[in-house]
Amino acid sequence: MGSAPVPHRAAVTLTHPSPNFGDRRDGLQPTLVVIHYTAMASCAEALERLCDPLAEVSAHYLIDSDGTVLSLVAEQDRAWHAGAGEWGGRGDVNSRSIGVELANRGDAPFAAPQMAALEQVLQGVLERWSLPPQAVIGHSDMAPGRKGDPGPRFDWRRLALGGLSVWPDLAQSGDAQNGDAQPGDFRADLMAFGYPDLPVEVLLPAFRLRFRPWAIGPLDETDRALAADLARRFPIDAGGAQA
């Protein structure tokens, strides 16, 4: 039996090279894409910081609100965007991921040209590294309680409809014929999906930030059912953040 084909990973020409990068540790390759917002007043201000050696932060891509895509670090290199956190029980997310920053203060909708450009970037990254849609996560997913980006205004469902992320489905979580949801162990299900081993009171806000951004109140049956669906259809060991 022959070996599996090597994915085509054409080099991306850097438009604004940042000095803030290094080698991926232990021979790791990207198995995740982490989406952030810059929380800064302008894209120019964010670019200056991401290219400032004293700041010691960077990302592979920075996308302006008008859809302009700036490439700062080569995909094969380790950008410094994720910080402390984990996904699928594995740390050093910087060595395991591609980081995408969206120019957004954090309290404003994401512009249509910016979302369209993000979709193009994600399509290319997923193809080059043979990654499934569940590999695309938010900074808040891997660092619950510490980070909140890309925030409640980010349209995760749009990405999922385009095959560029995933979305839970109540009909899928129970009897597909009558739509009865079958709630499970919320914390265990989120960990099976990839979330860190943290208390429910930390995980619930992070989960809702992405999948139920306007939900309020204590953990409920809808939260449990949606988490159960994610765990069943997209378990971390099936792909997205292995090795």
Side-chain angles (χ1 to χ4, degrees):
M1 182 180 295
S3 59
V6 177
H8 176 64
R9 294 168 186 159
V12 175
T13 302
L14 300 183
T15 62
H16 297 75
S18 171
N20 302 332
F21 70 93
D23 294 332
R24 294 185 184 274
R25 297 168 180 167
D26 302 321
L28 293 170
Q29 293 187 341
T31 54
L32 293 169
V33 183
V34 182
I35 298 177
H36 309 255
Y37 60 53
T38 59
M40 302 185 81
S42 68
C43 186
E45 185 178 340
L47 177 62
E48 182 178 2
R49 178 170 174 78
L50 292 168
C51 292
D52 179 358
L54 297 179
E56 297 186 340
V57 294
S58 62
H60 294 87
Y61 297 98
L62 170 62
I63 305 178
D64 202 350
S65 58
D66 66 0
T68 300
V69 178
L70 310 178
S71 50
L72 283 60
V73 175
E75 289 181 3
Q76 66 267 24
D77 292 325
R78 180 180 185 272
W80 306 338
H81 61 96
E86 65 177 55
W87 188 254
R90 300 171 178 91
D92 191 7
V93 175
N94 281 334
S95 288
R96 305 174 188 277
S97 66
I98 301 291
V100 182
E101 290 273 2
L102 302 176
N104 186 289
R105 298 187 309 272
D107 58 358
F110 292 82
Q114 187 176 48
M115 290 297 296
L118 172 63
E119 289 170 331
Q120 291 185 342
V121 168
L122 291 177
Q123 186 70 47
V125 170
L126 297 187
E127 289 179 356
R128 283 190 291 275
W129 296 96
S130 300
L131 302 180
Q134 59 265 37
V136 180
I137 65 172
H139 200 186
S140 57
D141 294 321
M142 53 147 291
R146 188 176 71 86
K147 292 295 181 179
D149 51 320
R153 290 180 174 270
F154 185 75
D155 194 347
W156 283 105
R157 191 167 184 272
R158 169 177 168 159
L159 291 190
L161 290 171
L164 300 173
S165 188
V166 296
W167 193 256
D169 185 349
L170 279 177
Q172 293 289 337
S173 65
D175 185 327
Q177 190 169 17
N178 62 31
D180 290 337
Q182 299 297 321
D185 182 326
F186 179 75
R187 181 172 174 275
D189 286 337
L190 286 194
M191 289 177 61
F193 177 58
Y195 279 92
D197 183 358
L198 293 169
V200 170
E201 56 266 27
V202 179
L203 292 174
L204 179 60
F207 168 80
R208 284 183 171 175
L209 190 63
R210 176 168 171 182
F211 297 111
R212 298 184 71 197
W214 309 121
I216 58 174
L219 178 71
D220 61 29
E221 296 303 280
T222 298
D223 295 314
R224 293 189 178 95
L226 294 177
D229 177 57
L230 291 171
R232 184 182 66 82
R233 290 195 294 140
F234 308 110
I236 193 65
D237 288 339
Q242 298 177 323

Coordinates of all heavy atoms in Angstrom, one line a residue, residues 92-142:
D92 N 0.2 24.3 24.3 CA 1.1 25.0 23.3 C 0.3 25.1 22.0 O 0.7 24.6 20.9 CB 2.4 24.2 23.0 CG 3.4 24.9 22.2 OD1 3.1 26.1 21.9 OD2 4.4 24.4 21.8
V93 N -0.8 25.8 22.1 CA -1.7 26.0 20.9 C -1.0 26.7 19.8 O -1.3 26.5 18.6 CB -3.0 26.6 21.3 CG1 -3.9 26.9 20.1 CG2 -3.8 25.8 22.3
N94 N -0.1 27.6 20.2 CA 0.7 28.3 19.1 C 1.4 27.3 18.2 O 1.5 27.6 17.0 CB 1.7 29.2 19.8 CG 1.1 30.5 20.3 OD1 0.1 31.0 19.8 ND2 1.8 31.1 21.3
S95 N 1.9 26.2 18.7 CA 2.6 25.3 17.8 C 1.7 24.4 17.0 O 2.1 23.7 16.1 CB 3.5 24.4 18.7 OG 4.7 25.1 19.1
R96 N 0.4 24.4 17.4 CA -0.6 23.6 16.8 C -1.6 24.3 15.9 O -2.5 23.7 15.4 CB -1.4 22.8 17.9 CG -0.5 22.0 18.9 CD -1.4 21.4 20.0 NE -0.5 20.8 21.0 CZ 0.0 19.6 21.0 NH1 -0.2 18.9 19.9 NH2 0.8 19.2 21.9
S97 N -1.3 25.6 15.7 CA -2.4 26.4 15.1 C -1.9 27.5 14.1 O -0.8 27.8 14.1 CB -3.3 27.0 16.2 OG -2.5 28.0 16.9
I98 N -2.9 27.9 13.3 CA -2.8 29.1 12.5 C -3.7 30.2 13.2 O -4.8 29.9 13.6 CB -3.4 28.9 11.1 CG1 -2.6 27.8 10.4 CG2 -3.3 30.2 10.3 CD1 -1.2 28.1 10.0
G99 N -3.1 31.4 13.4 CA -3.8 32.4 14.1 C -4.3 33.5 13.1 O -3.6 34.0 12.3
V100 N -5.6 33.8 13.2 CA -6.2 34.9 12.3 C -6.8 36.0 13.2 O -7.7 35.7 14.0 CB -7.3 34.3 11.4 CG1 -7.9 35.3 10.5 CG2 -6.8 33.1 10.6
E101 N -6.3 37.2 13.0 CA -6.8 38.3 13.8 C -7.8 39.1 12.9 O -7.4 39.4 11.7 CB -5.6 39.3 14.2 CG -4.8 38.7 15.3 CD -5.3 39.0 16.7 OE1 -6.4 39.6 16.8 OE2 -4.6 38.6 17.6
L102 N -8.9 39.5 13.4 CA -9.9 40.4 12.7 C -9.8 41.7 13.3 O -10.0 41.9 14.6 CB -11.3 39.8 12.8 CG -11.4 38.3 12.2 CD1 -12.8 37.8 12.5 CD2 -11.1 38.3 10.8
A103 N -9.6 42.8 12.5 CA -9.6 44.1 13.0 C -11.0 44.5 13.5 O -12.0 44.7 12.7 CB -9.2 45.1 11.9
N104 N -11.2 44.5 14.8 CA -12.5 44.8 15.4 C -12.3 45.1 16.8 O -11.5 44.5 17.5 CB -13.4 43.6 15.3 CG -14.9 43.8 15.7 OD1 -15.1 44.0 16.9 ND2 -15.8 43.9 14.8
R105 N -13.0 46.2 17.3 CA -12.8 46.6 18.7 C -13.4 45.6 19.7 O -13.0 45.6 20.9 CB -13.5 47.9 18.9 CG -13.0 49.1 18.1 CD -13.6 50.4 18.5 NE -15.1 50.3 18.6 CZ -15.9 50.5 17.5 NH1 -15.4 50.8 16.4 NH2 -17.2 50.4 17.7
G106 N -14.3 44.7 19.2 CA -14.9 43.7 20.1 C -16.3 44.1 20.5 O -17.0 43.2 21.0
D107 N -16.8 45.3 20.1 CA -18.1 45.7 20.4 C -18.9 46.0 19.2 O -20.0 46.6 19.3 CB -18.1 46.8 21.4 CG -17.4 48.0 20.8 OD1 -16.8 48.0 19.7 OD2 -17.4 49.1 21.5
A108 N -18.4 45.7 18.0 CA -19.0 46.1 16.7 C -19.2 44.8 15.9 O -18.5 43.9 16.0 CB -18.2 47.1 16.0
P109 N -20.3 44.9 15.0 CA -20.4 43.8 14.0 C -19.2 43.6 13.1 O -18.5 44.6 12.9 CB -21.7 44.2 13.2 CG -22.4 45.2 14.1 CD -21.3 45.9 14.8
F110 N -19.1 42.4 12.6 CA -18.0 42.2 11.6 C -18.5 42.5 10.2 O -19.5 42.0 9.8 CB -17.5 40.8 11.8 CG -16.8 40.5 13.1 CD1 -17.5 40.2 14.2 CD2 -15.4 40.5 13.2 CE1 -16.9 39.9 15.4 CE2 -14.8 40.3 14.4 CZ -15.5 40.0 15.5
A111 N -17.8 43.4 9.5 CA -18.2 43.8 8.2 C -18.3 42.7 7.2 O -17.5 41.7 7.3 CB -17.3 44.9 7.7
A112 N -19.2 42.8 6.3 CA -19.4 41.8 5.2 C -18.1 41.5 4.5 O -17.8 40.3 4.2 CB -20.6 42.1 4.3
P113 N -17.4 42.5 4.0 CA -16.2 42.3 3.3 C -15.1 41.5 4.1 O -14.4 40.7 3.6 CB -15.7 43.6 2.9 CG -16.9 44.5 2.9 CD -17.7 44.0 4.0
Q114 N -15.1 41.8 5.4 CA -14.2 41.1 6.3 C -14.5 39.7 6.4 O -13.6 38.8 6.4 CB -14.2 41.8 7.7 CG -13.1 41.3 8.6 CD -13.2 42.1 9.9 OE1 -14.2 42.4 10.5 NE2 -12.0 42.6 10.4
M115 N -15.8 39.4 6.6 CA -16.2 38.0 6.7 C -16.0 37.2 5.4 O -15.5 36.0 5.5 CB -17.7 37.9 7.1 CG -18.0 38.4 8.5 SD -17.2 37.3 9.8 CE -18.0 35.8 9.5
A116 N -16.2 37.8 4.3 CA -15.9 37.2 3.0 C -14.5 36.9 2.9 O -14.1 35.8 2.4 CB -16.4 38.0 1.9
A117 N -13.6 37.8 3.2 CA -12.2 37.6 3.2 C -11.7 36.5 4.1 O -10.9 35.7 3.8 CB -11.4 38.9 3.5
L118 N -12.3 36.5 5.3 CA -12.0 35.4 6.3 C -12.4 34.1 5.7 O -11.6 33.1 5.9 CB -12.8 35.6 7.6 CG -12.7 34.5 8.6 CD1 -11.3 34.3 9.1 CD2 -13.6 34.8 9.8
E119 N -13.5 34.0 5.1 CA -13.9 32.7 4.5 C -12.9 32.2 3.4 O -12.6 31.0 3.4 CB -15.3 32.8 3.9 CG -16.4 33.0 4.9 CD -17.7 33.3 4.3 OE1 -17.8 34.0 3.3 OE2 -18.8 33.0 4.9
Q120 N -12.4 33.1 2.7 CA -11.4 32.8 1.7 C -10.1 32.3 2.3 O -9.5 31.3 1.9 CB -11.1 33.9 0.7 CG -12.2 34.3 -0.2 CD -11.9 35.4 -1.2 OE1 -10.9 36.1 -1.0 NE2 -12.6 35.5 -2.2
V121 N -9.7 33.0 3.4 CA -8.5 32.6 4.1 C -8.7 31.2 4.7 O -7.8 30.3 4.6 CB -8.1 33.6 5.2 CG1 -7.1 33.1 6.2 CG2 -7.6 34.9 4.6
L122 N -9.8 31.0 5.4 CA -10.0 29.7 6.0 C -10.1 28.6 5.0 O -9.5 27.5 5.3 CB -11.3 29.8 6.8 CG -11.4 30.6 8.1 CD1 -12.8 30.6 8.7 CD2 -10.3 30.2 9.1
Q123 N -10.7 28.8 3.9 CA -10.8 27.8 2.8 C -9.4 27.4 2.4 O -9.1 26.2 2.3 CB -11.6 28.3 1.6 CG -11.8 27.3 0.5 CD -12.8 26.2 1.0 OE1 -13.9 26.6 1.5 NE2 -12.5 25.0 0.8
G124 N -8.5 28.3 2.2 CA -7.2 28.0 1.8 C -6.4 27.3 2.9 O -5.7 26.3 2.6
V125 N -6.5 27.7 4.2 CA -5.8 27.1 5.2 C -6.3 25.6 5.4 O -5.5 24.7 5.6 CB -6.0 27.9 6.6 CG1 -5.4 27.1 7.7 CG2 -5.3 29.2 6.5
L126 N -7.6 25.4 5.5 CA -8.1 24.1 5.7 C -7.7 23.1 4.5 O -7.4 22.0 4.8 CB -9.6 24.1 5.8 CG -10.2 24.9 7.0 CD1 -11.7 24.7 7.0 CD2 -9.6 24.5 8.3
E127 N -7.7 23.6 3.3 CA -7.2 22.8 2.2 C -5.7 22.5 2.3 O -5.3 21.3 2.1 CB -7.5 23.5 0.9 CG -9.0 23.5 0.5 CD -9.3 24.2 -0.8 OE1 -8.4 24.8 -1.4 OE2 -10.5 24.3 -1.2
R128 N -4.9 23.5 2.6 CA -3.5 23.3 2.6 C -3.0 22.3 3.7 O -2.1 21.6 3.5 CB -2.7 24.6 2.8 CG -2.7 25.5 1.5 CD -1.8 26.7 1.6 NE -2.3 27.7 2.6 CZ -3.2 28.6 2.2 NH1 -3.6 28.7 1.0 NH2 -3.6 29.5 3.1
W129 N -3.7 22.3 4.8 CA -3.3 21.5 5.9 C -4.3 20.3 6.2 O -4.1 19.6 7.2 CB -3.2 22.3 7.2 CG -2.1 23.4 7.0 CD1 -2.3 24.7 6.7 CD2 -0.7 23.2 7.2 NE1 -1.0 25.3 6.6 CE2 -0.1 24.4 6.9 CE3 0.1 22.1 7.6 CZ2 1.3 24.5 7.0 CZ3 1.5 22.2 7.6 CH2 2.1 23.4 7.4
S130 N -5.2 20.1 5.2 CA -6.1 18.9 5.3 C -6.9 18.9 6.7 O -6.9 17.9 7.3 CB -5.4 17.6 5.1 OG -4.8 17.6 3.8
L131 N -7.4 20.0 7.0 CA -8.1 20.1 8.3 C -9.6 20.1 8.2 O -10.2 20.6 7.2 CB -7.7 21.5 9.0 CG -6.3 21.7 9.3 CD1 -6.0 23.0 10.0 CD2 -5.7 20.5 10.1
P132 N -10.3 19.5 9.1 CA -11.8 19.5 9.1 C -12.4 20.8 9.6 O -11.7 21.5 10.3 CB -12.1 18.3 10.0 CG -11.0 18.3 11.0 CD -9.8 18.7 10.3
P133 N -13.7 21.0 9.4 CA -14.3 22.3 9.8 C -14.2 22.5 11.4 O -14.1 23.6 11.8 CB -15.7 22.2 9.4 CG -15.7 21.2 8.2 CD -14.6 20.2 8.5
Q134 N -14.2 21.4 12.1 CA -14.2 21.6 13.6 C -12.8 22.0 14.1 O -12.7 22.3 15.3 CB -14.6 20.3 14.3 CG -13.7 19.0 14.0 CD -14.3 18.2 12.9 OE1 -14.9 18.7 11.9 NE2 -14.2 16.9 13.0
A135 N -11.8 22.1 13.2 CA -10.5 22.6 13.6 C -10.5 24.1 13.8 O -9.6 24.7 14.4 CB -9.5 22.2 12.5
V136 N -11.6 24.8 13.3 CA -11.7 26.3 13.4 C -12.4 26.6 14.7 O -13.6 26.3 14.9 CB -12.4 26.9 12.2 CG1 -12.5 28.4 12.4 CG2 -11.8 26.5 10.9
I137 N -11.6 27.3 15.6 CA -12.2 27.6 17.0 C -11.9 29.1 17.3 O -11.2 29.7 16.5 CB -11.6 26.7 18.1 CG1 -10.1 27.0 18.2 CG2 -11.8 25.2 17.8 CD1 -9.4 26.3 19.4
G138 N -12.5 29.6 18.3 CA -12.2 30.9 18.8 C -11.2 30.9 19.9 O -11.0 29.9 20.6
H139 N -10.6 32.1 20.1 CA -9.7 32.3 21.2 C -10.4 32.0 22.6 O -9.8 31.4 23.5 CB -9.2 33.7 21.2 CG -7.9 33.9 22.0 ND1 -7.3 35.1 22.2 CD2 -7.1 33.0 22.6 CE1 -6.2 35.0 22.9 NE2 -6.0 33.7 23.1
S140 N -11.7 32.3 22.6 CA -12.5 32.1 23.9 C -12.7 30.6 24.1 O -12.9 30.2 25.2 CB -13.8 32.8 23.8 OG -14.5 32.4 22.6
D141 N -12.7 29.8 23.0 CA -12.9 28.3 23.2 C -11.7 27.7 23.9 O -11.9 26.8 24.8 CB -13.1 27.7 21.8 CG -14.4 28.1 21.2 OD1 -15.4 28.3 21.9 OD2 -14.3 28.3 19.9
M142 N -10.5 28.1 23.5 CA -9.3 27.4 24.1 C -8.8 28.1 25.4 O -8.0 27.5 26.1 CB -8.2 27.4 23.1 CG -7.9 28.8 22.5 SD -6.1 29.1 22.1 CE -5.4 29.2 23.7

